[in-house]
Amino acid sequence: MKYQLIGKNITVTDGIRSAVEKKLSRMEKYFVITDDVNCRVVVRSYKIGAKIEVTIFTPQMDFRAEVTNNDLYAGVDLAIDKLEGQMRKLKTRMDRTKAKQGLGKSIAFENFEADLKEMEKEDHVVRTKSYYLEGMTLEEAITRMEALDHPFFIYLDKEDDRISVCYSREEGGYGVIQAENPLK
């Protein structure tokens, strides 16, 4: 796996780099390692604590964990724990559906240990909702999202006929996720 460490408000020293890469190397057992599997770690330092973002890019799917902790190294451990939890959850879901969805090319499913307790707690769909997407502007969508007091809102963008999701960002402001393919 190729590693990329980026420091924001912090200089990534050789000591930090080697410690983070050593900790992340335990994730390699979950992947079929090729030149296409990359790991990017962004470390942000604040007055108190640090934020660690770990993203593993594979050709079929990306995995991401974000942790804020007072200790950089403990934060890396927590991020790895989150990623391993995601991997176990994915493994359980793939076993249940009997479909690997093309992930077999990147993920070494045989290296997962089945955790029965984790399987018992497995999330499942408890509600399905559908509704007609109205064409509207981003401003209208934000207004409706705020009126409903939801963290996100799905709408049909009036300008380009694309399904879009506006959402409130934790840092303030709004974000938009938009489908690349327009409706036919």
Side-chain angles (χ1 to χ4, degrees), residues 81-97:
D81 291 344
K82 270 188 167 182
L83 286 167
E84 286 181 328
Q86 290 173 7
M87 300 301 289
R88 280 193 304 276
K89 196 173 196 177
L90 175 66
K91 167 68 170 150
T92 303
R93 181 166 281 128
M94 293 298 110
D95 284 347
R96 200 172 350 125
T97 61

Side-chain angles (χ1 to χ4, degrees), residues 9-178:
N9 301 330
I10 187 173
T11 302
V12 178
T13 64
D14 289 338
I16 292 173
R17 179 177 304 282
S18 65
V20 169
E21 287 181 6
K22 182 179 178 185
K23 288 175 183 280
L24 284 167
S25 68
R26 79 181 206 217
M27 291 297 300
E28 291 184 5
K29 68 182 177 186
Y30 296 118
F31 299 98
V32 176
I33 302 300
T34 64
D35 289 341
D36 296 332
V37 179
N38 297 301
C39 179
R40 181 177 62 217
V41 179
V42 178
V43 179
R44 287 182 173 81
S45 178
Y46 299 112
K47 288 181 184 178
I48 299 175
K51 181 180 194 179
I52 298 93
E53 299 171 20
V54 179
T55 310
I56 299 175
F57 302 95
T58 71
Q60 286 74 30
M61 184 181 286
D62 298 336
F63 299 90
R64 184 173 185 280
E66 182 177 307
V67 174
T68 303
N69 196 298
N70 288 338
D71 180 10
L72 171 74
Y73 300 104
V76 172
D77 287 334
L78 290 171
I80 292 169
D81 291 344
K82 270 188 167 182
L83 286 167
E84 286 181 328
Q86 290 173 7
M87 300 301 289
R88 280 193 304 276
K89 196 173 196 177
L90 175 66
K91 167 68 170 150
T92 303
R93 181 166 281 128
M94 293 298 110
D95 284 347
R96 200 172 350 125
T97 61
K98 304 288 188 234
K100 300 288 190 249
Q101 299 176 355
L103 294 173
K105 296 175 186 170
S106 295
I107 298 171
F109 284 103
E110 65 277 2
N111 290 336
F112 285 93
E113 295 178 17
D115 185 352
L116 295 175
K117 290 180 185 173
E118 197 67 33
M119 289 174 19
E120 289 171 5
K121 296 189 308 187
E122 181 64 30
D123 291 334
H124 57 282
V125 177
V126 294
R127 181 176 178 214
T128 301
K129 183 176 180 178
S130 65
Y131 66 98
Y132 180 79
L133 293 178
E134 292 183 46
M136 62 182 70
T137 65
L138 174 59
E139 290 77 22
E140 292 172 312
I142 290 172
T143 302
R144 290 206 186 174
M145 176 181 67
E146 288 176 345
L148 293 169
D149 196 29
H150 284 182
F152 67 92
F153 187 79
I154 302 171
Y155 68 101
L156 182 63
D157 193 311
K158 224 181 219 182
E159 296 173 11
D160 55 14
D161 269 350
R162 294 181 191 265
I163 296 172
S164 303
V165 178
C166 66
Y167 60 95
S168 298
R169 295 180 49 85
E170 288 180 12
E171 302 85 28
Y174 301 99
V176 176
I177 301 171
Q178 194 170 52

